[in-house]
């Protein structure tokens, strides 16, 4: 098979770092925003046309869905790193095997998660203290339909990880733009015309995810470079599987345990009743746009460092990290502060309930205004993963964020004088500061050690 260079590929090992980082990240930000619009469309449609219980039902499922899916989503980080390295070092056969192994993992993992979601959804939602009065049954229905399409979601994310690794963030943007428009149209049709309530928004999300998966698979099958996908060649190559697991599994475990801590936090929030749940749901959805915008620089850091390690351009690594830190800080401050400043107007998009809007503003005040700290933390995690060090940031993140937050909820929050929703939200900022500080220290020490090994 003759190989050709794709016009969508990016050489991350030469030229201006800032220019290429932004060229890579902006389409990724837009892609992530469109992906988030899937959930936003769900939340807005049910909030406006189905009522507060339906809004709370959809909102209360987010932490549970992340808990179940994050392990496999984390594996796509492993795909990103090893594909980037093979691509920049021009090891085409290794690259081909890595691509086919990744797509095979997404298919097997998706089928497994479908079974888990269908069988365990009711019990896990009960464990989260999801209110039984009008919410539990709706949330269970939403989760079950959602997981019927989880395979498509994984296929899209693994396929996108392959494309990101070679510097292509534009085509995933186009695919999600198409799927996002379809999702919104189906949401309105199923809920307003057919009166399907949460089942309608779940079905719309599932069908749109199937469309985005189809588009990314079709894209890879038409590729002329070494990342071309041939369906009959789908196979798990053991050495590539172990490489993906070595980097991606700690990331997946971290994501799942992060989600577990968020499930506990959601359980604490659920104790304040439907109004607070609805406000928290709307505010968290708004913050999601800030998060995915910052997270683009986390993913860019992984891809850029992965390619430069593969090409042995070690001296560019520190510049990549500093550039990404500056970009994510500015992005987090501008979007986070803007989100809080216009919070009342933005929250009205989700609900007409004044008490719910006020509850949402409380969350925005404590979390959105300092969200740049989370971005700094994630960029440092991306730097360590790009260097192939995935276990250490997992441990640090779990101790600094998850364990700390759990201890906070079960100690400080449980004290009568601090048993208010504000106490829950304050834990986020403190955990970001602690975790980011340790990540920076770890990166400094590891980079110093690798400098001697690589002979810089």
């Amino acid at each position: 098979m003759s190989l050709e260079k794709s016009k969508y590929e990016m050489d991350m090992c030469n030229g201006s770092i800032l220019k290429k980082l932004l060229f890579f990240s902006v389409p990724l930000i837009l892609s992530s925003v469109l992906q988030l619009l899937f959930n936003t469309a769900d939340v807005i449609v049910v909030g406006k046309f189905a009522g507060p219980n339906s809004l709370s039902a959809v909102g209360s499922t987010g932490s549970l869905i992340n808990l179940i899916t994050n392990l496999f989503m984390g594996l796509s980080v492993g795909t990103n790193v090893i594909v980037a390295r093979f691509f920049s070092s021009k090891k085409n056969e290794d690259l081909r095997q890595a691509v086919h192994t990744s797509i095979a993992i997404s298919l097997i993992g998706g089928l497994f998660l479908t079974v888990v979601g269908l069988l365990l959804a009711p019990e896990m939602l009960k464990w989260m203290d999801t209110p039984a009065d009008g919410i539990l049954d709706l949330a269970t229905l939403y989760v079950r339909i959602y997981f019927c399409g989880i395979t498509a979601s994984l296929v899209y994310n693994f396929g996108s990880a392959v494309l990101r690794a070679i510097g292509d963030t534009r085509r995933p943007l186009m695919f999600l733009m198409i799927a996002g428009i379809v999702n919104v149209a189906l949401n309105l049709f199923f809920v307003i015309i057919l009166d399907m309530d949460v089942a309608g928004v779940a079905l719309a999300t599932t069908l749109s995810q199937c469309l985005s998966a189809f588009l990314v698979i079709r894209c890879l099958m038409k590729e002329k470079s070494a990342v071309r996908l041939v369906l009959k060649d789908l196979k798990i190559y053991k050495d590539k599987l172990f490489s993906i697991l070595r980097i991606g599994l700690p990331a997946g475990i971290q994501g799942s345990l992060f989600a577990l801590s968020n499930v506990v936090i959601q359980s604490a929030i659920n104790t304040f009743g439907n109004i607070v749940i609805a406000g928290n749901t709307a505010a968290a959805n708004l913050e999601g746009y800030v998060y995915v915008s910052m997270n683009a620089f986390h993913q860019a850091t992984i891809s850029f460092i992965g390619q430069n390690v593969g090409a042995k351009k070690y001296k560019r690594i520190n510049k990549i990290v500093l550039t990404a830190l500056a970009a994510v800080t500015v992005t987090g401050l501008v979007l986070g502060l803007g989100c809080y400043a216009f919070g009342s107007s933005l929250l009205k998009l989700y609900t007409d309930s004044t008490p719910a809007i006020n509850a949402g503003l409380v969350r925005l005040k404590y979390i959105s205004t300092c969200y740049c700290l989370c971005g700094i933390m994630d960029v440092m995690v991306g730097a360590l993963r790009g260097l192939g060090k995935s276990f250490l940031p997992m441990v640090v993140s779990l101790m600094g964020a998850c364990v700390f937050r759990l201890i906070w909820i079960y100690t400080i929050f449980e004290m009568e004088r601090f048993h208010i929703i504000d106490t829950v939200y304050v834990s986020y900022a403190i955990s970001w500061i602690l975790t980011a500080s340790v990540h920076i220290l770890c990166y400094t020490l590891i980079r110093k050690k690798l400098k001697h090994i690589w002979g810089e």
Side-chain angles (χ1 to χ4, degrees):
M1 179 180 66
S2 61
L3 301 178
E4 301 176 10
K5 178 179 175 62
S6 169
K7 65 179 180 179
Y8 295 100
E9 293 176 6
M10 179 186 292
D11 177 9
M12 303 175 185
C13 306
N14 299 285
S16 168
I17 292 174
L18 177 60
K19 181 179 178 180
K20 291 192 174 184
L21 189 77
L22 293 176
F23 191 76
F24 178 95
S25 299
V26 170
L28 187 55
I29 290 172
L30 295 176
S31 297
S32 299
V33 166
L34 281 172
Q35 195 165 26
L36 191 58
L37 276 172
F38 286 177
N39 183 251
T40 300
D42 296 349
V43 173
I44 290 178
V45 170
V46 296
K48 291 289 187 178
F49 300 102
N53 281 355
S54 297
L55 175 62
S56 297
V58 173
S60 65
T61 63
S63 298
L64 175 59
I65 289 172
N66 290 336
L67 171 64
I68 299 175
T69 61
N70 276 2
L71 179 62
F72 285 93
M73 293 298 188
L75 293 182
S76 67
V77 174
T79 290
N80 192 316
V81 173
I82 69 167
V83 169
R85 288 186 180 181
F86 290 145
F87 172 76
S88 62
S89 59
K90 303 186 186 306
K91 295 180 179 179
N92 291 331
E93 179 57 23
D94 287 323
L95 179 55
R96 185 191 70 81
Q97 292 180 7
V99 170
H100 286 79
T101 298
S102 297
I103 300 302
I105 291 172
S106 70
L107 291 170
I108 295 170
L111 293 174
F112 171 75
L113 290 181
T114 298
V115 175
V116 170
L118 290 174
L119 294 180
L120 301 183
E123 293 305 317
M124 297 188 76
L125 286 167
K126 290 177 183 176
W127 175 58
M128 291 172 59
D129 291 328
T130 304
D133 184 17
I135 296 180
L136 179 60
D137 289 342
L138 291 173
T140 300
L141 179 61
Y142 181 87
V143 169
R144 282 177 164 166
I145 296 175
Y146 182 94
F147 273 91
C148 287
I150 197 63
T151 301
S153 179
L154 289 190
V155 168
Y156 172 79
N157 279 280
F158 274 80
S160 295
V162 170
L163 294 175
R164 286 197 306 272
I166 66 172
D168 180 8
T169 56
R170 286 178 286 169
R171 283 182 291 184
L173 169 60
M174 290 186 287
F175 303 152
L176 276 177
M177 187 177 297
I178 295 169
I181 293 171
V182 170
N183 182 67
V184 172
L186 289 177
N187 262 323
L188 297 172
F189 176 71
F190 289 146
V191 176
I192 299 176
I193 306 300
L194 299 185
D195 197 25
M196 293 177 63
D197 207 294
V198 297
V201 292
L203 182 59
T205 299
T206 296
L207 292 175
S208 59
Q209 286 175 338
C210 289
L211 176 59
S212 61
F214 167 77
L215 291 173
V216 80
I217 289 297
R218 180 175 176 271
C219 169
L220 290 173
M221 290 175 64
K222 288 182 172 293
E223 269 292 310
K224 300 299 183 183
S225 67
V227 298
R228 181 182 178 187
L229 177 67
V230 181
L231 293 181
K232 65 182 180 64
D233 292 342
L234 277 178
K235 175 183 176 182
I236 291 183
Y237 295 87
K238 289 184 179 179
D239 58 329
K240 304 306 181 296
L241 173 63
F242 291 146
S243 295
I244 291 172
L245 291 176
R246 181 175 61 82
I247 298 172
L249 189 58
I253 292 173
Q254 176 184 322
S256 292
L257 292 179
F258 252 81
L260 178 60
S261 71
N262 286 334
V263 166
V264 174
I265 292 173
Q266 183 66 49
S267 299
I269 293 170
N270 288 348
T271 63
F272 289 93
N274 291 0
I275 294 298
V276 171
I277 295 174
N280 179 79
T281 297
N285 202 271
L286 276 178
E287 290 163 2
Y289 289 96
V290 184
Y291 176 77
V292 297
S293 298
M294 296 189 300
N295 190 254
F297 297 104
H298 159 77
Q299 297 186 50
T301 303
I302 294 174
S303 296
F304 272 67
I305 291 181
Q307 276 202 23
N308 279 270
V309 170
K312 299 182 179 180
K313 295 290 186 73
Y314 306 127
K315 291 184 179 180
R316 287 171 61 89
I317 293 175
N318 283 344
K319 293 180 181 178
I320 291 170
V321 174
L322 291 174
T323 303
L325 284 174
V328 81
T329 301
V330 172
T331 301
L333 284 173
V334 171
L335 295 183
L337 292 174
C339 193
Y340 178 60
F342 299 98
S344 295
S345 299
L346 293 172
L347 289 169
K348 287 178 182 177
L349 294 172
Y350 297 84
T351 178
D352 295 322
S353 168
T354 300
I357 290 172
N358 291 335
L361 286 172
V362 173
R363 178 182 171 108
L364 292 177
K365 178 175 69 173
Y366 287 104
I367 295 180
S368 183
T369 55
C370 57
Y371 222 173
C372 64
L373 297 172
C374 178
I376 292 170
M377 177 185 74
D378 282 349
V379 164
M380 295 313 303
V381 171
L384 291 167
R385 287 176 180 162
L387 291 171
K389 307 296 181 181
S390 196
F391 182 77
L392 180 60
M394 177 194 76
V395 174
V396 172
S397 295
L398 293 181
M399 294 301 297
C402 297
V403 174
F404 170 81
R405 290 177 193 169
L406 293 177
I407 293 174
W408 182 278
I409 291 296
Y410 288 118
T411 56
I412 304 297
F413 175 68
E414 289 298 327
M415 296 180 184
E416 185 175 352
R417 60 183 295 190
F418 295 123
H419 199 80
I420 55 176
I421 194 66
D422 304 57
T423 306
V424 176
Y425 297 145
V426 166
S427 67
Y428 283 89
I430 298 175
S431 67
W432 292 333
I433 293 172
L434 292 174
T435 311
S437 299
V438 178
H439 281 319
I440 292 171
L441 176 61
C442 290
Y443 172 81
T444 303
L445 296 176
I446 289 173
R447 190 70 186 88
K448 186 176 181 180
K449 180 179 178 181
L450 290 175
K451 187 174 182 179
H452 294 294
I453 295 174
W454 289 336
E456 292 178 72

